[in-house]
Amino acid sequence: MARDKEFIPEEKIAKALDVFWEKGYNATSMQDLVDAMQINRSSLYNSFGDKHNLFLECLRTYGYLAAQDFESVLKLKDLTPLETLEKIIDVYVTGTIYDCKCCMGMKSSFELAGDDEEVRRIIKTTSDRTIGLFTDLLQRAKEQGEITEDKNPAVLAHIIFNGFCGWKQSFIQFKDASLIKEMAAYTKKHLRN
């Protein structure tokens, strides 16, 4: 039997990620993955293990890429901590409006995380990283007087993070970009008051 040509695992993971992202875990068949990844079944098993292991790798990759979007804003110069967080909110709003796929983390939370401890752990690790970033920015904003003393940075970070999930869901349902922008503006305004 002819062997597959050598391949770059990251490229195959990206293709599998797209399938899982679109269809979800349960609706994705091994044949869907073989077709998308353009490798034979034995190469898939030899390289990535079973469907579940491949999904976990895709979920880790998704979390890493999502975090990179937010962390890239940290490289911008001359922004205060609160301005940095506001810019992250803007990045998320743009992504929500122009990439109307459901958040893979949200989709996986509802589909699997209740029963699959490993999926829950990966999603929580990714969420903790983002919430930690938001908390740090808000704590520094508080120290610099950008937000009032009575505000709890950790609670605000969770509110913003969960707002992101709601904005994504709202856009998928209503396809109203102006509504998402207005919710983001409302959030930013109330951080400063």
Side-chain angles (χ1 to χ4, degrees):
M1 182 153 97
R3 290 183 50 191
D4 280 342
K5 294 179 182 176
E6 294 297 316
F7 59 81
I8 300 170
E10 293 80 11
E11 290 176 1
K12 301 303 180 185
I13 288 170
K15 290 177 180 182
L17 191 155
D18 283 340
V19 175
F20 283 127
W21 195 352
E22 178 185 335
K23 298 182 100 175
Y25 179 78
N26 290 319
T28 298
S29 70
M30 287 302 288
Q31 191 60 50
D32 293 331
L33 295 168
V34 167
D35 292 345
M37 296 168 75
Q38 299 175 333
I39 59 176
N40 66 42
R41 215 173 267 261
S42 63
S43 292
L44 190 152
Y45 284 113
N46 289 337
S47 299
F48 302 105
D50 60 12
K51 175 182 160 181
H52 188 258
N53 284 332
L54 177 59
F55 177 76
L56 295 176
E57 190 58 40
C58 289
L59 195 55
R60 284 185 200 96
T61 299
Y62 176 82
Y64 173 77
L65 295 172
Q68 275 193 321
D69 286 346
F70 298 147
E71 290 169 359
S72 68
V73 176
L74 299 176
K75 297 175 184 170
L76 299 175
K77 302 292 183 206
D78 302 322
L79 294 178
T80 68
L82 191 55
E83 289 169 342
T84 301
L85 184 56
E86 290 172 335
K87 190 69 156 170
I88 288 171
I89 290 170
D90 293 340
V91 166
Y92 189 81
V93 166
T94 300
T96 296
I97 292 167
Y98 295 105
D99 179 11
C100 56
K101 287 193 277 188
C102 180
C103 170
M104 187 172 169
M106 282 175 33
K107 185 181 269 190
S108 300
S109 289
F110 290 114
E111 185 179 12
L112 297 170
D115 298 321
D116 188 320
E117 182 59 32
E118 185 127 20
V119 168
R120 191 193 74 74
R121 186 186 57 73
I122 291 168
I123 293 169
K124 184 178 181 311
T125 298
T126 301
S127 299
D128 285 346
R129 182 176 177 178
T130 301
I131 292 166
L133 169 65
F134 294 176
T135 302
D136 178 62
L137 288 168
L138 288 161
Q139 183 61 45
R140 290 191 294 134
K142 186 175 181 176
E143 290 165 3
Q144 295 178 20
E146 290 186 286
I147 63 174
T148 58
E149 278 296 316
D150 62 321
K151 292 195 169 135
N152 181 326
V155 171
L156 282 175
H158 277 272
I159 289 169
I160 294 165
F161 179 79
N162 286 295
F164 281 10
C165 298
W167 300 348
K168 179 67 90 169
Q169 179 185 7
S170 183
F171 189 74
I172 289 168
Q173 290 175 355
F174 303 109
K175 302 291 187 213
D176 187 343
S178 62
L179 176 63
I180 305 306
K181 290 176 183 177
E182 193 169 334
M183 286 191 284
Y186 182 87
T187 300
K188 291 191 287 187
K189 177 184 173 186
H190 285 280
L191 286 173
R192 292 184 177 273
N193 293 335

